Amino acid sequence: MFGDRRSPRVDEMWLEPQASAQKVREVAATLAAVTVDPLCDRMAAAAAAGGPDAAHAVGTALVISALDASALDGDMRRSLGLSWLWIAACRGHAGSRMELGRAISAETASEEPRRPQAELSALAQHWFGAGTSPGATEPRIPGDQTRLTRGSGGRVVGDKPPRVTPPQPLTEFTREPVETERPPVASPRRGRLVLPHGIGDAKSAEGVALAKRYAALVDGPIPCVGRVPAPGEILDFFDRKWPWAMNVARHLQNQADQMTLAGIGQQGDPVYGFNTGSVTLDPILFVGDPGSGKTRLAKAVADLFGVPRLLVPCGGSADHGGLSAFSRGWSTARACAPVQAMAEHRCANPAMILDEIDKASRPGGQNGSIMATALSMLEEAQEYYDSCLMAPVDLSGISYFGTANDDKLLDAALLDRFDVIRIPRPETKHVPAILETIREDVIERLGIHPAAFPETTREDIRRFRQLFERSSGSLRVLKKAFRSMLGVKAGLQVKADMDQDRVIN
């Protein structure tokens, strides 16, 4: 699909398809030798032969540090960071696969993309699909010939990581002519202009500093990223992960069908023009009992549609919390949370998750409230005045998800802005699916191979079902118990390995 290439630039490996484990190790060794700063250098050295989490951490750190760097240094840091995310993605990190898909989507919208657009679009769709597939946390990748076997005591053993060799010089990337290359006439840059009037009082000292901090939004249109799941994909995903919340799946499938009918998210084109819409969902409020998994469900929906997300904790907040802007004149001056998310992810359509919004202060408080701020952001006009930027911001591409235990505590005007969906409590028959989801989360967090994960026996499932019934169906209780069981089994396995080693010695 992507053609044969020779000598790709190592700092542009994030624009390449998946590679074999040996190739990934070689690229990691080369990137680890690139000097950036002492902290990043130490992180890179540890990530060269480490797991997917280590590569994801150094990649994320480099991409974030690029926002405050100069143009030249920022481009270098971003390219290196994305290449580290490519390494983590090849090693099975689901989050890195999604971030890589978004970055490649943004590259498609640039004035001079570094690959043919059709090729970039197909590659972005590949990473989005890999990030949401059932095996998204699976470190094994196509072409990986490493064999894992059970050693003494049941421990998983395999080939040792290779020694890190001095990096070879970066060679210029050469492309063979492709018939689908863009015509020589440059087309207008596609995207959404979120700051149509620029920053207010731009010539003041604060205005200059803010223009630099939010340069990604000030310089012109920024792309809308994401994907529209294929017909039936949402229902299949919920049937595997959230079988007790199929009402949510049907609601999302309706919205996805509408976007598909409107021509949004056509296969092979995950970045959309200014007037052709974006992957944006209508505001949804997930209502359910404590422990029913509302927050995790909101995160999963954002990931399913391939849009970055920002969680705003609202519980216990006596003012506008972290959602509203902090005005100029204060040392903590910053733009509102949606603008922060757009600048960080360099896209116009991230998702905002307003967690436990029913526990925030109601409108009319002396210090403001999250409910009042959210109400103004959800207005139909979608032109929100940011007091820090001193300018209106287009928030029409933002997807808003809220979670609440009791929707009756929300202001009526705000509640009217949401599609309210009630999350049923899972039943005992759903325990195996819940345990599988918890298992995948732990594997991703620890960065281990699934084969090294302690097995869950039928007796374990029977005990978890009993615990689930005694706890009135609380997912939090089940999650804590599962982690506790994992710790016990891991301790027994380590002890068995140590005892076996003593016998051998």
Side-chain angles (χ1 to χ4, degrees):
M1 178 186 298
F2 301 101
D4 296 328
R5 293 202 179 95
R6 296 184 298 274
S7 304
R9 286 181 58 89
V10 180
D11 59 341
E12 290 187 0
M13 285 303 296
W14 62 280
L15 294 169
E16 298 292 322
Q18 285 183 272
S20 65
Q22 178 61 30
K23 180 63 176 178
V24 171
R25 286 193 289 264
E26 292 173 358
V27 175
T30 301
L31 290 175
V34 178
T35 301
V36 179
D37 57 55
L39 177 59
C40 286
D41 293 349
R42 288 194 296 270
M43 292 176 64
D53 281 354
H56 177 77
V58 67
T60 302
L62 283 167
V63 171
I64 293 176
S65 67
L67 297 176
D68 295 325
S70 62
L72 184 61
D73 186 48
D75 289 342
M76 182 271 291
R77 285 173 177 263
R78 183 172 183 271
S79 295
L80 290 177
L82 290 174
S83 293
W84 277 110
L85 290 178
W86 176 85
I87 291 173
C90 289
R91 289 174 175 173
H93 196 283
S96 293
R97 290 175 172 178
M98 300 301 294
E99 289 295 334
L100 209 55
R102 298 181 190 117
I104 296 172
S105 295
E107 178 69 17
T108 310
S110 63
E111 295 181 359
E112 297 182 1
R114 285 172 278 191
R115 298 285 190 277
Q117 285 192 339
E119 181 179 312
L120 288 172
S121 297
L123 187 58
Q125 289 291 339
H126 162 75
W127 287 118
F128 282 137
T132 56
S133 65
T137 56
E138 175 70 50
R140 291 290 298 276
I141 59 176
D144 187 355
Q145 301 300 322
T146 304
R147 292 191 297 270
L148 296 174
T149 57
R150 289 279 176 182
S152 59
R155 181 173 55 188
V156 175
V157 297
D159 296 337
K160 295 182 178 180
R163 296 176 60 87
V164 177
T165 56
Q168 300 299 317
L170 298 180
T171 56
E172 285 297 324
F173 179 78
T174 58
R175 297 189 185 91
E176 296 183 0
V178 182
E179 295 181 358
T180 57
E181 286 283 359
R182 297 199 320 161
V185 179
S187 59
R189 182 180 179 183
R190 296 178 297 169
R192 187 185 298 274
L193 192 63
V194 297
L195 274 171
H197 307 294
I199 291 180
D201 195 18
K203 295 184 179 180
S204 65
E206 288 182 304
V208 172
L210 289 170
K212 180 180 178 181
R213 187 190 305 178
Y214 300 105
L217 311 182
V218 176
D219 292 343
I222 59 174
C224 296
V225 303
R227 60 187 293 268
V228 177
E233 181 181 347
I234 296 177
L235 297 176
D236 291 342
F237 175 79
F238 271 78
D239 187 53
R240 295 195 318 268
K241 304 283 189 178
W242 307 87
W244 62 93
M246 294 305 293
N247 58 328
V248 180
R250 288 188 290 270
H251 180 86
L252 295 174
Q253 189 65 62
N254 288 338
Q255 293 204 42
D257 292 342
Q258 293 176 36
M259 285 188 275
T260 301
L261 187 63
I264 299 174
Q266 295 290 345
Q267 186 174 3
D269 186 14
V271 180
Y272 318 110
F274 181 77
N275 293 320
T276 57
S278 65
V279 177
T280 303
L281 296 169
D282 295 336
I284 301 175
L285 179 67
F286 298 110
V287 180
D289 297 333
S292 58
K294 302 180 296 296
T295 304
R296 191 175 182 280
L297 177 58
K299 294 178 181 179
V301 171
D303 293 342
L304 183 62
F305 281 82
V307 294
R309 48 181 163 82
L310 177 65
L311 180 71
V312 180
C314 303
S317 176
D319 53 18
H320 51 68
L323 186 60
S324 181
F326 286 88
S327 302
R328 300 187 195 183
W330 300 90
S331 59
T332 56
R334 61 169 175 78
C336 64
V339 172
Q340 294 281 112
M342 288 191 289
E344 178 180 348
H345 297 286
R346 300 193 180 194
C347 74
N349 62 327
M352 307 297 300
I353 302 176
L354 310 179
D355 195 31
E356 296 186 325
I357 191 172
D358 57 325
K359 298 179 181 178
S361 59
R362 296 177 63 84
Q366 186 176 7
N367 299 321
S369 73
I370 287 182
M371 287 191 190
T373 302
L375 181 60
S376 62
M377 289 181 175
L378 289 167
E379 288 291 344
E380 291 295 333
Q382 296 293 341
E383 195 172 79
Y384 176 78
Y385 183 82
D386 189 286
S387 60
C388 177
L389 302 181
M390 297 175 62
V393 185
D394 179 11
L395 302 182
S396 59
I398 305 291
S399 297
Y400 294 93
F401 303 136
T403 69
N405 296 334
D406 186 359
D407 56 318
K408 296 183 180 63
L409 299 178
L410 267 68
D411 182 77
L414 177 60
L415 187 62
D416 188 57
R417 300 296 192 278
F418 284 101
D419 291 333
V420 180
I421 303 181
R422 304 193 180 277
I423 309 300
R425 270 203 172 276
E427 301 175 11
T428 305
K429 65 181 180 181
H430 298 135
V431 167
I434 297 172
L435 295 180
E436 180 63 22
T437 302
I438 299 174
R439 175 181 180 273
E440 292 176 358
D441 287 345
V442 175
I443 287 175
E444 179 180 354
R445 180 173 60 85
L446 297 179
I448 62 177
H449 195 283
F453 199 87
E455 296 180 358
T456 303
T457 64
R458 292 184 178 179
E459 179 62 21
D460 293 331
I461 294 178
R462 185 186 66 81
R463 292 177 179 175
F464 280 125
R465 281 175 171 162
Q466 293 177 348
L467 175 64
F468 187 74
E469 292 174 350
R470 291 197 303 269
S471 64
S472 300
S474 173
L475 298 184
R476 292 174 183 170
V477 172
L478 201 64
K479 189 174 184 178
K480 290 179 181 179
F482 187 86
R483 289 180 173 177
S484 177
M485 181 207 71
L486 173 63
V488 172
K489 288 194 173 186
L492 294 174
Q493 184 168 306
V494 170
K495 185 178 184 301
D497 290 345
M498 294 177 63
D499 292 342
Q500 186 67 25
D501 289 339
R502 291 193 187 99
V503 172
I504 295 175
N505 294 332

